Amino acid sequence: MVRSVKKFLIGLILVIGIMLIHSKQISSKKTLKKNLCRSFEDNFHKDKIVYIEDYDGNPKCANWVDVSQARGAYSIHSGKLKAILHKPKGVQGRMEDEDGACNTNIGKGLDLNSTYMMHYGTVSVEMKANRVGGVVTALCLMSREGDEFDWETVGEDIKHAQTDYFYKGAHKTGVDGIIHAFPDGGTIDSDYHTYTIEWGPNRTIWSIDGITVRTLERSSNFEDGIYKYPNKPSYIKLSLWDGSGCNGTAKWSNGPINWDESPDTHLSYIRKVTVTCNPKYNKVVTDDDDDELSE
Ligand SMILES: *[C@@H]1O[C@H](CO)[C@@H](O)[C@H](O)[C@H]1NC(C)=O
Ligand SMILES: *[C@@H]1O[C@H](CO)[C@@H](O)[C@H](O)[C@H]1NC(C)=O
Ligand SMILES: *[C@@H]1O[C@H](CO)[C@@H](O)[C@H](O)[C@H]1NC(C)=O
């Protein structure tokens, strides 16, 4: 009796041991699985944007998915992407809340996602933004989990651009968002500026025209036992949006837009985007690979 119990116990320990080794192998395989990411340069000489309703989920088919609320939020002319913000249909719905004036009816503008996600890497965008108060032009990295890095310009505050980040959707107001003057003294709309986010596993650097204006260290964000530092594969997003909304948005963006007295559209321009995926964390796809695959 005792013997068979012993045998049973030894057998049990063996089985558990094998299961443990197996699960470890599975988890190490998991950590080896890299994110698929496309390194590319888009000069907008070809239209490589597909509208969300026409997108079959195959990232090889384009550089960008147009996730704007309506079609017609961009056009492409001689190597420039013209982002278009349209006046909302109907009345603008002007009201006052505790943050001041705002609109309840919001205009629709461009919202592009890269077709591939990037897990660490560098994104640069050459952009000429809009100077009308309430108009927001943005380059973001955004994960499905709510991790985010931003470069944003808001109208009226034409001598500055803003950087921000979120960890799992959480944001420390007044700490995470920072306003930067252009190192060369320019304005958001006077010329093209190059906005860069260099996102690494330990450090993120935001720069304008090649000059670093902000550095975020992963190590300085250790809180409640975890590093509150964006670390999930993220879409690259380019957007032009109406910041006239209530509850503080209009106040932040120097809005609301007074559509009764402004043109029916507001524009921003992007002439080049460069994406370089970090090869240590991504399986890097290039346009050449895609051409081969589609042949
Ligand atoms: C676009 O990006 C957002 C933010 O990361 C994500 O939630 C959404 O699923 C993406 N949509 C597509 C079609 O890629
Ligand atoms: C990031 O920091 C960790 C821990 O300090 C270190 O082991 C790793 O090599 C660093 N990675 C890079 C890319 O610097
Ligand atoms: C603004 O906040 C109020 C109260 O929290 C909420 O009821 C309302 O839906 C919000 N409005 C918008 C446009 O988000």
Side-chain angles (χ1 to χ4, degrees), residues 87-94 105-106 259-260:
K87 176 181 179 173
K89 295 204 171 76
V91 292
Q92 64 185 355
R94 179 62 57 93
N105 198 2
I106 299 299
W259 292 103
D260 291 343

Side-chain angles (χ1 to χ4, degrees), residues 47 49-50 66 72-76 81-84 86 110 112:
D47 188 348
I49 304 172
V50 57
D66 180 0
Y74 75 94
S75 63
I76 287 175
L81 174 80
K82 178 163 91 179
I84 307 167
H86 295 272
L110 182 67
L112 292 185

Side-chain angles (χ1 to χ4, degrees), residues 52 65 67 113 142-144 235 237:
I52 181 71
V65 191
V67 294
N113 275 21
M142 212 182 275
S143 82
R144 290 200 179 112
Y235 290 104
K237 293 182 70 88

